[in-house]
Amino acid sequence: MKKGNKLYLPIIGIGIVLIIMISSVKVVFANEDIAYMLKNWFDEKQSASIEEIERTISQEKEKQTTRLKSEIHEAIQSAESQYEVFLEEEKTKRKQELIDYADQLISNYDVSVEADQVLIEKLNCLITKTEIEMDIVLGKKDTSQLIDCGELQVNDAN
C-alpha cells in the first residue's frame, strides 16, 4: 500500500495544482470581463452623452434662429416705416421748395397779365410734374403718368 499511497499523492498534488491554475484563470477572465464591461459602459455613456449634447445644441440652434429671424423682421419693419416717413417728409419739403420758388418767380416777373398767366400755367404744370416724379420714386405711380409741360421760355424785359 505504500506504493498506492505514493500514487495518490502525485494525483492529489496534480489535482491541487490544476485547481489553483483553473481558479487563477477564472480570476484572469473575470478581470478581462470587468474591463470589457467597463469599456462597454463607458462607450454607451459616451454615445448617449454625445447624442444628448447634439440634440440640445440642435434645439437651441432652432430657437435662436427663430428668434434672430423675428428680430430681423422687426428691424426691417421699423426701418421701412422710418424710410416711408423720411420719403414723405422729403417729398413735402421739396414740393414746398418748388412752390416757394415758383411763387418767387411769379412775384418777381413783371410782364403783361396775359404773359403772366402762361407762365403761371407752366409753373403749375412743372410743380405737378415734379409731384408725379416723386410719386414714381416712391412707387406710387408709374412713368406712364408723366406729363409734358413744354419748355419754359423767359423773355427778359429788363
Side-chain angles (χ1 to χ4, degrees), residues 12 18 21 27-28 44 65 74 77 91 93 104-105 108 110 119 122 131 135 140 155:
I12 292 176
L18 283 175
M21 285 177 48
V27 171
V28 170
E44 288 175 13
T65 301
E74 288 176 14
Q77 285 181 334
K91 181 180 171 184
K93 180 180 167 185
Q104 179 187 3
L105 287 176
N108 291 337
D110 188 21
L119 180 64
K122 285 193 176 193
E131 289 174 1
D135 284 339
K140 294 181 179 179
N155 294 331

Side-chain angles (χ1 to χ4, degrees), residues 87-104:
L87 284 178
E88 285 300 320
E89 288 174 356
E90 285 298 310
K91 181 180 171 184
T92 303
K93 180 180 167 185
R94 303 294 181 211
K95 181 179 175 181
Q96 189 59 46
E97 288 175 358
L98 285 171
I99 291 171
D100 292 344
Y101 182 67
D103 289 344
Q104 179 187 3

Side-chain angles (χ1 to χ4, degrees), residues 9-68:
L9 282 177
I11 292 175
I12 292 176
I14 291 174
I16 292 175
V17 169
L18 283 175
I19 291 173
I20 292 173
M21 285 177 48
I22 290 173
S23 66
S24 67
V25 168
K26 280 187 172 181
V27 171
V28 170
F29 285 136
N31 285 338
E32 288 179 11
D33 286 344
I34 290 172
Y36 180 74
M37 286 178 16
L38 285 174
K39 183 182 179 308
N40 283 343
W41 181 80
F42 280 121
D43 288 345
E44 288 175 13
K45 288 298 180 181
Q46 180 183 14
S47 296
S49 297
I50 289 172
E51 288 176 12
E52 186 175 337
I53 290 169
E54 286 176 349
R55 186 175 55 252
T56 301
I57 289 172
S58 177
Q59 289 171 348
E60 190 62 29
K61 182 177 91 174
E62 288 178 23
K63 286 179 188 176
Q64 295 307 320
T65 301
T66 303
R67 182 175 150 236
L68 182 61

Side-chain angles (χ1 to χ4, degrees), residues 108-112 115 154-158:
N108 291 337
Y109 197 72
D110 188 21
V111 291
S112 69
V154 178
N155 294 331
D156 196 5
N158 294 335

Side-chain angles (χ1 to χ4, degrees), residues 100-127:
D100 292 344
Y101 182 67
D103 289 344
Q104 179 187 3
L105 287 176
I106 291 170
S107 68
N108 291 337
Y109 197 72
D110 188 21
V111 291
S112 69
V113 174
E114 192 174 295
D116 282 344
Q117 188 61 33
V118 171
L119 180 64
I120 290 171
E121 287 176 10
K122 285 193 176 193
L123 289 174
N124 285 335
C125 180
L126 287 173
I127 290 172

